[in-house]
Every structure is written in structure tokens, then in C-alpha cells.
């Protein structure tokens, strides 16, 4: 089972997510941080160098990659994650 936290940027998703994961004994994952690790650059740099369309495609790819792990995880989504592609459909299925 996964729990997804969504909301505006800087609304506290990561802060609350870490606390919730600890209390539930779940893993915690910040999707933007995961993307930054995979892409070896921060989100603003990805946007400026490769563009938003590239970022959104990678975001969907990495979201699916995380979900395929099938570990109980609290996932702090990026502020725009549910708004693009099939991400919201994917989230509601998990």
C-alpha cells in the first residue's frame, strides 16, 4: 500500500510525509528528490536545460518505477505531478 501526499509546492508534503512514514513504519520517498538523483541535476536545472515536457515525461516514468517496487511507501509528489499525463489515474490505481 502507498500513501500519496499531493499539494502545492512548499506546502509541507515532505515534512509531513517523513513523520507519517515513521509512525506507520513505511518507507518515505520524495518524488522530486528521486528524480534529481536519477537525473543527476536539480529540478530547476532540468526545467531550464531540458524543458518542462522532458521533465513531465521523466516524472511519469519515475513515478511508475517507484510504484513497481511494491513497498509500503509514503510518497511526497511534486506539486504538478497529478496534473500531467495519466499520473492521476496511476495514483488512484495504487
Amino acid at each position: 500500500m502507498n500513501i500519496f501526499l499531493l499539494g502545492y509546492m512548499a506546502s509541507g508534503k515532505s515534512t509531513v510525509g517523513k513523520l507519517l512514514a515513521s509512525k506507520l513504519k513505511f518507507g518515505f520517498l520524495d518524488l522530486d528528490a528521486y528524480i534529481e538523483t536519477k537525473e543527476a541535476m536539480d529540478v530547476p536545472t532540468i526545467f531550464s536545460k531540458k524543458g518542462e515536457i522532458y521533465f513531465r515525461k521523466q516524472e511519469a516514468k519515475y513515478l511508475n518505477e517507484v510504484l513497481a517496487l511494491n513497498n509500503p511507501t509514503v510518497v511526497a509528489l511534486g506539486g504538478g505531478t497529478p496534473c500531467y499525463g495519466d499520473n492521476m489515474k496511476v495514483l488512484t490505481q495504487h
Side-chain angles (χ1 to χ4, degrees):
M1 176 171 93
N2 295 306
I3 297 172
F4 302 103
L5 302 179
L6 58 108
Y8 290 112
M9 293 183 329
S11 63
K13 298 179 299 286
S14 293
T15 301
V16 170
K18 289 174 189 172
L19 294 169
L20 180 60
S22 176
K23 186 161 185 93
L24 296 174
K25 305 213 182 323
F26 277 29
F28 172 76
L29 186 129
D30 178 300
L31 186 59
D32 281 348
Y34 186 83
I35 293 167
E36 289 176 341
T37 299
K38 292 290 196 169
E39 294 289 313
M41 64 182 91
D42 63 20
V43 171
T45 302
I46 298 169
F47 267 78
S48 68
K49 288 190 173 191
K50 298 190 174 188
E52 184 176 5
I53 293 171
Y54 173 86
F55 176 81
R56 296 300 174 190
K57 287 180 180 179
Q58 295 306 100
E59 180 181 52
K61 171 186 152 185
Y62 293 130
L63 174 62
N64 284 294
E65 185 176 295
V66 166
L67 296 175
L69 299 174
N70 288 322
N71 296 328
T73 306
V74 175
V75 181
L77 301 171
T81 305
C83 302
Y84 293 92
D86 291 333
N87 291 344
M88 195 62 183
K89 180 180 178 183
V90 169
L91 294 169
T92 58
Q93 292 173 342
H94 286 87

